[in-house]
Amino acid sequence: MDQCGNSLLPKIPGIYQSYMEIKDKYPIGSDLECINNVRFIKSIEKKNEPLFCDADVAMVMLAKGHNVINMRNWLAFDDKEVLTFHAFYKKSGRGAYAGIDYIIKRLNIIYFLVDETIQVNEPLRSNSGFPQGCFIKKQKIPLPGCDQETGPYYRLPDLVVGNTVVFYGKELRITGVDPYTRDFLHTMGVPAKENELIPEDPYFEYRKKTALDFTSKNKVNVARNLPPNGFDNMILRFRGYWDDRNQIEGELHFYEVLYYLVDDTMELVEEIIDENRVTGIRRKIIVKRQRLPKGGPWILQPGHNVKQDILNVMSTNKDTCYYTMDSQLWDAQKVSYYHCTDLYIGQTLKIYSRSIFLVSCDEFTKSFYKNVYKLETHDPIEAPKTMREIEEEMLHQKRVEIILKNYDEVLRKRLIKHGGAGMIFGFLIKMITDDPINQGRNFMLKYYLDDTEFAIYEYRETNSGMRGGMFRSKRGFSENQDQADLFIFYQLAVGVKICIDEFKFIIVDIDDKTMQFMIDHSKEFSHSNLATVRSKTREMINNRFSSLDEFRTKYFQDRELVDRDEFRNVLSFDGELDSHSGAVLSLIHKRPDPYEPFTDDVLRSVVQSEMRKSCFIHFDGLKFNFRSRKSKSDQVGYIECSAAIKAMKSNRISLSEEITNILVNRFKDTKNGCTVNYEEMVEFMDYVKNPVEPPSRLARVSVNDYYIYINLQDTVSTVEGYRGYGIGTVVRQTQKGFSPSERVHRWPAVEDVVNSTEAEKLYFG
């Protein structure tokens, strides 16, 4: 038996019990793996192995604030926690003929605390002549003479500065450690020695003596013209093309020529059409940043920048050799490179057998040549069109024809793109019939802008004899609908008559959200153009009255506020002015109904009454919800306003949105960054601990929209101060309202559509 406990018997058939014991390769797999930031052990053997954290190492981690005593290494440490040792070893050299018996290889020994494995790397050294990088892969390295599978293995106490370790027959001399490892060992109680000097490599010393090291002399010091002050870090950009269509399968190539003023280097980037990109163009570097000669040579021969050449190698015997250097002076090849003065629009550049014709430049390039070289003309040259561009122009013309035929869809997609997504138009409609019962029925028309479908709902009224509710489900026009009765979204307005499934209706009113949307998009809804409506109203008043005071005295008796229905009835001028204009002015000059003043006792009574109705008793849970949410405030018991509203919604507090906002504003602390004192607010709401009497009357803490008043003074002053007329075509009107069959509306000019690519994107997606 050897010192590792292994048998010294020869491995011959019949002595060992299984074939697995005489294998000669022991591959090391990855037993530790991190999946979704959770560490796993894949093999059962590794999991059952008692690989606990070393006691000395555990004390070091405890000193750093991490208690890892009696923990496994793969739980205590991360894969990036390593200790680095510097070492070297001697390898047989280049040959005795140069007097070199060995070379020095500098190595870094990396010890992983997570699984006590070792990896040896060789730092890169330029022009060394040997492969470098990973010297020994990450694994457990056995002690000399021990088996790879059973061990024992090298551990942290075996790595000492000044000692020599043997890794697979290679003797590595440890010369030092990095600062982190030194501090780790010092905390561990094993201070490391001072770093030793690594001996110089004889091969590199020999190269320095014989002047064979050209690594620091291979750059030619080319004289260059320094750019003017202030332009050192700037880039000149030109755009050009290379016409290769005269060759077989050739095409037209477009390039971007970049000229760096800091070192007179150039870069050539090709613009390739790629439909998968958002911009439609993919850029590919054809010539990397370098100094480009005028006409070549494009490929320089090896040794073109070496000052001396070796003519002969003579040796008298195999142990010594002599070099003979060329005594002639080095004649550098004179090459003329491109300069910024050689670049201008109309110039042809010869770059790697490509004749690139410059056609344009950017604004900075124009200003550079104007300020430095006093060049004023930089008119771009039109580049030839490719077959793809010609095909796209023909396709564009066909698209424009389709757009003009389907312009309604283009307008709809434009509205959706500019804030109309999910928009539902609401209109109050009445049935046009001779039946007095059906004349009194009120319906709500909902038009969905996203899919141009609509639905009709009937208002439920007490003792009306009608059930109410759904009158027509959400869908489009039926197949039997008359083409003359079809309508589109921009034709819907107050006073318009529509026909749906042989039922005739008239729009008598519109909701405020729909009206405001039409006013904001008056280009598509010309009947809601505020300037046009005021112009028509002013014209009607001037035709009937001598002054606005006379009009106001006759109809409104010098009142400040007037009811909305009365206001619209007056502005109709007995049917001469369309009803939609009165609805537009009613929304613009509507006076918002103010809140009725209320005290804290009334507010508290209303809040607690609502909480009793919903049987909410979990006030402790509500307070815990407030406390669990993060707050930017340093004070305890405060939370942001938005977080407070979200917490109340998550607890299903049965308060309306307006009462919730009033309650939050009641306990808001603006000095503390717009935060809410939720402790006091919960006590205010808790009717179990702090009950108050229910309200004796209906407390109004919300807006009542039943009575809507119009600010008459604001309306008259606006109409009086308006002297111009609206821009655009005035909508055609009749006493019966708008006729959908006439399809009267204001469209943008056809030239704007033809020259606009936005319309193409809206229609074709």
Side-chain angles (χ1 to χ4, degrees), residues 624-657:
F624 178 77
N625 193 351
F626 285 130
R627 192 180 298 112
S628 62
R629 297 179 180 268
K630 296 181 179 180
S631 177
K632 296 181 179 179
S633 175
D634 297 333
Q635 298 184 7
V636 180
Y638 286 84
I639 193 175
E640 296 181 0
C641 297
S642 59
I645 295 176
K646 291 180 180 178
M648 296 176 68
K649 290 183 179 179
S650 64
N651 279 72
R652 298 184 178 180
I653 302 297
S654 59
L655 297 177
S656 64
E657 183 177 356

CSV table of all heavy atoms in Angstrom, one decimal, residues 624-657:
chain,number,residue,atom,x,y,z
A,624,PHE,N,-53.0,47.4,8.6
A,624,PHE,CA,-51.8,46.6,8.3
A,624,PHE,C,-51.4,46.7,6.8
A,624,PHE,O,-50.3,46.7,6.4
A,624,PHE,CB,-52.1,45.1,8.7
A,624,PHE,CG,-51.0,44.2,8.3
A,624,PHE,CD1,-49.8,44.1,9.1
A,624,PHE,CD2,-51.0,43.4,7.2
A,624,PHE,CE1,-48.8,43.3,8.8
A,624,PHE,CE2,-50.0,42.6,6.9
A,624,PHE,CZ,-48.9,42.5,7.7
A,625,ASN,N,-52.5,46.9,6.0
A,625,ASN,CA,-52.2,47.1,4.5
A,625,ASN,C,-51.5,48.4,4.3
A,625,ASN,O,-50.6,48.4,3.5
A,625,ASN,CB,-53.5,47.0,3.8
A,625,ASN,CG,-53.3,46.9,2.3
A,625,ASN,OD1,-52.2,47.0,1.8
A,625,ASN,ND2,-54.4,46.7,1.6
A,626,PHE,N,-51.9,49.4,5.0
A,626,PHE,CA,-51.2,50.7,4.9
A,626,PHE,C,-49.7,50.6,5.3
A,626,PHE,O,-48.8,51.1,4.7
A,626,PHE,CB,-51.9,51.8,5.7
A,626,PHE,CG,-53.1,52.3,5.1
A,626,PHE,CD1,-54.3,52.4,5.8
A,626,PHE,CD2,-53.2,52.7,3.7
A,626,PHE,CE1,-55.5,52.8,5.2
A,626,PHE,CE2,-54.3,53.2,3.2
A,626,PHE,CZ,-55.5,53.2,3.9
A,627,ARG,N,-49.5,49.9,6.5
A,627,ARG,CA,-48.2,49.8,7.1
A,627,ARG,C,-47.3,48.9,6.2
A,627,ARG,O,-46.0,49.2,6.2
A,627,ARG,CB,-48.3,49.2,8.5
A,627,ARG,CG,-47.0,49.3,9.3
A,627,ARG,CD,-47.2,48.7,10.7
A,627,ARG,NE,-48.3,49.4,11.4
A,627,ARG,CZ,-49.4,48.8,11.7
A,627,ARG,NH1,-49.7,47.5,11.4
A,627,ARG,NH2,-50.3,49.4,12.4
A,628,SER,N,-47.8,47.9,5.5
A,628,SER,CA,-46.9,47.0,4.7
A,628,SER,C,-46.4,47.7,3.4
A,628,SER,O,-45.5,47.2,2.8
A,628,SER,CB,-47.7,45.8,4.3
A,628,SER,OG,-48.9,46.1,3.5
A,629,ARG,N,-47.0,48.8,3.0
A,629,ARG,CA,-46.6,49.4,1.8
A,629,ARG,C,-45.4,50.4,2.0
A,629,ARG,O,-45.4,51.0,3.1
A,629,ARG,CB,-47.8,50.2,1.1
A,629,ARG,CG,-48.9,49.3,0.7
A,629,ARG,CD,-50.0,50.0,0.0
A,629,ARG,NE,-51.1,49.1,-0.4
A,629,ARG,CZ,-51.2,48.6,-1.6
A,629,ARG,NH1,-50.3,48.8,-2.5
A,629,ARG,NH2,-52.2,47.7,-1.8
A,630,LYS,N,-44.5,50.4,1.1
A,630,LYS,CA,-43.3,51.2,1.2
A,630,LYS,C,-43.7,52.7,1.1
A,630,LYS,O,-44.5,53.1,0.3
A,630,LYS,CB,-42.3,50.9,0.2
A,630,LYS,CG,-41.7,49.4,0.3
A,630,LYS,CD,-40.7,49.2,-0.7
A,630,LYS,CE,-40.1,47.7,-0.5
A,630,LYS,NZ,-39.1,47.4,-1.6
A,631,SER,N,-43.0,53.5,1.8
A,631,SER,CA,-43.2,55.0,1.8
A,631,SER,C,-41.8,55.7,1.8
A,631,SER,O,-40.8,55.2,2.4
A,631,SER,CB,-44.0,55.4,3.0
A,631,SER,OG,-44.1,56.8,3.1
A,632,LYS,N,-41.8,56.8,1.0
A,632,LYS,CA,-40.6,57.6,0.9
A,632,LYS,C,-40.4,58.5,2.2
A,632,LYS,O,-39.3,59.0,2.4
A,632,LYS,CB,-40.6,58.4,-0.3
A,632,LYS,CG,-40.6,57.6,-1.6
A,632,LYS,CD,-40.6,58.5,-2.8
A,632,LYS,CE,-40.6,57.7,-4.1
A,632,LYS,NZ,-40.6,58.6,-5.3
A,633,SER,N,-41.4,58.6,3.0
A,633,SER,CA,-41.3,59.4,4.2
A,633,SER,C,-40.6,58.7,5.3
A,633,SER,O,-40.7,57.5,5.5
A,633,SER,CB,-42.7,59.9,4.6
A,633,SER,OG,-42.7,60.6,5.8
A,634,ASP,N,-39.9,59.5,6.1
A,634,ASP,CA,-39.2,58.9,7.2
A,634,ASP,C,-40.1,58.8,8.5
A,634,ASP,O,-39.7,58.1,9.4
A,634,ASP,CB,-37.9,59.8,7.6
A,634,ASP,CG,-36.9,59.8,6.4
A,634,ASP,OD1,-36.9,58.8,5.6
A,634,ASP,OD2,-36.2,60.7,6.3
A,635,GLN,N,-41.2,59.5,8.5
A,635,GLN,CA,-42.1,59.5,9.6
A,635,GLN,C,-42.9,58.2,9.6
A,635,GLN,O,-43.4,57.8,8.6
A,635,GLN,CB,-43.0,60.7,9.6
A,635,GLN,CG,-42.2,62.1,9.7
A,635,GLN,CD,-43.2,63.2,9.8
A,635,GLN,OE1,-44.4,63.1,9.9
A,635,GLN,NE2,-42.7,64.5,9.7
A,636,VAL,N,-43.2,57.8,10.8
A,636,VAL,CA,-44.0,56.5,11.0
A,636,VAL,C,-45.4,56.9,10.9
A,636,VAL,O,-45.9,57.9,11.5
A,636,VAL,CB,-43.6,55.9,12.3
A,636,VAL,CG1,-44.5,54.6,12.5
A,636,VAL,CG2,-42.1,55.5,12.4
A,637,GLY,N,-46.2,56.1,10.2
A,637,GLY,CA,-47.6,56.4,10.1
A,637,GLY,C,-48.0,57.2,8.9
A,637,GLY,O,-49.2,57.6,8.8
A,638,TYR,N,-47.1,57.4,8.0
A,638,TYR,CA,-47.4,58.2,6.8
A,638,TYR,C,-47.1,57.3,5.5
A,638,TYR,O,-46.2,56.5,5.5
A,638,TYR,CB,-46.6,59.5,6.7
A,638,TYR,CG,-47.0,60.5,7.6
A,638,TYR,CD1,-46.6,60.5,9.0
A,638,TYR,CD2,-47.9,61.6,7.2
A,638,TYR,CE1,-47.0,61.5,9.9
A,638,TYR,CE2,-48.3,62.5,8.1
A,638,TYR,CZ,-47.8,62.5,9.4
A,638,TYR,OH,-48.2,63.5,10.3
A,639,ILE,N,-47.9,57.6,4.5
A,639,ILE,CA,-47.8,56.8,3.2
A,639,ILE,C,-48.2,57.8,2.1
A,639,ILE,O,-48.9,58.8,2.3
A,639,ILE,CB,-48.7,55.6,3.3
A,639,ILE,CG1,-48.4,54.6,2.1
A,639,ILE,CG2,-50.2,55.9,3.2
A,639,ILE,CD1,-49.2,53.3,2.1
A,640,GLU,N,-47.7,57.5,0.9
A,640,GLU,CA,-48.0,58.3,-0.2
A,640,GLU,C,-49.5,58.3,-0.6
A,640,GLU,O,-50.2,57.3,-0.3
A,640,GLU,CB,-47.2,57.9,-1.4
A,640,GLU,CG,-45.7,58.1,-1.2
A,640,GLU,CD,-44.9,57.7,-2.5
A,640,GLU,OE1,-45.6,57.3,-3.4
A,640,GLU,OE2,-43.7,57.8,-2.4
A,641,CYS,N,-50.0,59.3,-1.2
A,641,CYS,CA,-51.4,59.4,-1.5
A,641,CYS,C,-51.9,58.3,-2.5
A,641,CYS,O,-52.9,57.7,-2.3
A,641,CYS,CB,-51.7,60.8,-2.1
A,641,CYS,SG,-51.5,62.2,-1.0
A,642,SER,N,-51.1,58.1,-3.6
A,642,SER,CA,-51.4,57.1,-4.5
A,642,SER,C,-51.4,55.7,-3.9
A,642,SER,O,-52.3,54.9,-4.2
A,642,SER,CB,-50.5,57.1,-5.7
A,642,SER,OG,-49.1,56.9,-5.3
A,643,ALA,N,-50.5,55.4,-3.0
A,643,ALA,CA,-50.4,54.1,-2.3
A,643,ALA,C,-51.6,54.0,-1.4
A,643,ALA,O,-52.1,52.9,-1.2
A,643,ALA,CB,-49.1,54.0,-1.6
A,644,ALA,N,-52.0,55.0,-0.8
A,644,ALA,CA,-53.2,55.0,0.1
A,644,ALA,C,-54.5,54.6,-0.6
A,644,ALA,O,-55.3,53.8,-0.2
A,644,ALA,CB,-53.4,56.3,0.9
A,645,ILE,N,-54.7,55.2,-1.8
A,645,ILE,CA,-55.8,54.9,-2.6
A,645,ILE,C,-55.8,53.5,-3.1
A,645,ILE,O,-56.8,52.7,-3.1
A,645,ILE,CB,-55.9,55.9,-3.8
A,645,ILE,CG1,-56.2,57.3,-3.3
A,645,ILE,CG2,-57.1,55.5,-4.7
A,645,ILE,CD1,-56.2,58.4,-4.3
A,646,LYS,N,-54.6,53.0,-3.5
A,646,LYS,CA,-54.5,51.6,-3.9
A,646,LYS,C,-54.8,50.6,-2.8
A,646,LYS,O,-55.4,49.6,-3.0
A,646,LYS,CB,-53.1,51.3,-4.5
A,646,LYS,CG,-52.8,52.0,-5.8
A,646,LYS,CD,-51.4,51.7,-6.3
A,646,LYS,CE,-51.1,52.4,-7.6
A,646,LYS,NZ,-49.7,52.2,-8.1
A,647,ALA,N,-54.3,51.0,-1.6
A,647,ALA,CA,-54.6,50.1,-0.4
A,647,ALA,C,-56.1,50.0,-0.1
A,647,ALA,O,-56.6,49.0,0.2
A,647,ALA,CB,-53.8,50.6,0.8
A,648,MET,N,-56.8,51.2,-0.2
A,648,MET,CA,-58.2,51.2,0.1
A,648,MET,C,-59.0,50.4,-1.0
A,648,MET,O,-60.0,49.7,-0.7
A,648,MET,CB,-58.7,52.6,0.1
A,648,MET,CG,-58.1,53.4,1.3
A,648,MET,SD,-58.6,55.2,1.2
A,648,MET,CE,-60.4,55.0,1.6
A,649,LYS,N,-58.5,50.4,-2.2
A,649,LYS,CA,-59.2,49.6,-3.3
A,649,LYS,C,-58.9,48.1,-3.1
A,649,LYS,O,-59.8,47.3,-3.3
A,649,LYS,CB,-58.7,50.0,-4.6
A,649,LYS,CG,-59.2,51.4,-5.1
A,649,LYS,CD,-58.7,51.7,-6.5
A,649,LYS,CE,-59.2,53.1,-6.9
A,649,LYS,NZ,-58.7,53.5,-8.3
A,650,SER,N,-57.7,47.8,-2.6
A,650,SER,CA,-57.4,46.4,-2.4
A,650,SER,C,-58.2,45.8,-1.3
A,650,SER,O,-58.5,44.6,-1.3
A,650,SER,CB,-55.9,46.2,-2.2
A,650,SER,OG,-55.5,46.8,-1.0
A,651,ASN,N,-58.6,46.6,-0.3
A,651,ASN,CA,-59.4,46.1,0.8
A,651,ASN,C,-60.9,46.3,0.5
A,651,ASN,O,-61.7,46.0,1.4
A,651,ASN,CB,-59.1,46.9,2.1
A,651,ASN,CG,-57.9,46.4,2.8
A,651,ASN,OD1,-56.8,46.6,2.3
A,651,ASN,ND2,-58.1,45.7,3.9
A,652,ARG,N,-61.2,46.7,-0.7
A,652,ARG,CA,-62.6,46.8,-1.2
A,652,ARG,C,-63.4,47.7,-0.3
A,652,ARG,O,-64.5,47.4,0.2
A,652,ARG,CB,-63.3,45.4,-1.2
A,652,ARG,CG,-62.6,44.5,-2.2
A,652,ARG,CD,-63.3,43.2,-2.3
A,652,ARG,NE,-62.6,42.3,-3.3
A,652,ARG,CZ,-63.0,41.1,-3.7
A,652,ARG,NH1,-64.1,40.6,-3.1
A,652,ARG,NH2,-62.3,40.4,-4.6
A,653,ILE,N,-62.9,48.9,-0.1
A,653,ILE,CA,-63.6,49.9,0.7
A,653,ILE,C,-64.8,50.4,-0.2
A,653,ILE,O,-64.5,50.9,-1.4
A,653,ILE,CB,-62.7,51.1,1.1
A,653,ILE,CG1,-61.6,50.5,2.0
A,653,ILE,CG2,-63.5,52.1,1.9
A,653,ILE,CD1,-62.0,49.9,3.2
A,654,SER,N,-66.0,50.4,0.3
A,654,SER,CA,-67.2,50.7,-0.5
A,654,SER,C,-67.4,52.2,-0.5
A,654,SER,O,-68.5,52.7,-0.1
A,654,SER,CB,-68.4,50.0,0.0
A,654,SER,OG,-68.7,50.3,1.3
A,655,LEU,N,-66.5,53.0,-0.9
A,655,LEU,CA,-66.6,54.5,-1.1
A,655,LEU,C,-66.5,54.9,-2.5
A,655,LEU,O,-65.7,54.3,-3.2
A,655,LEU,CB,-65.6,55.2,-0.2
A,655,LEU,CG,-65.7,55.0,1.3
A,655,LEU,CD1,-64.6,55.7,2.0
A,655,LEU,CD2,-67.1,55.4,1.9
A,656,SER,N,-67.2,55.9,-2.9
A,656,SER,CA,-67.1,56.3,-4.3
A,656,SER,C,-65.7,57.0,-4.5
A,656,SER,O,-65.0,57.3,-3.5
A,656,SER,CB,-68.2,57.3,-4.6
A,656,SER,OG,-68.1,58.5,-3.8
A,657,GLU,N,-65.4,57.2,-5.8
A,657,GLU,CA,-64.1,57.8,-6.1
A,657,GLU,C,-63.9,59.2,-5.5
A,657,GLU,O,-62.9,59.6,-5.0
A,657,GLU,CB,-63.8,57.7,-7.6
A,657,GLU,CG,-62.5,58.2,-8.0
A,657,GLU,CD,-62.3,58.1,-9.5
A,657,GLU,OE1,-63.2,57.6,-10.2
A,657,GLU,OE2,-61.2,58.6,-10.0
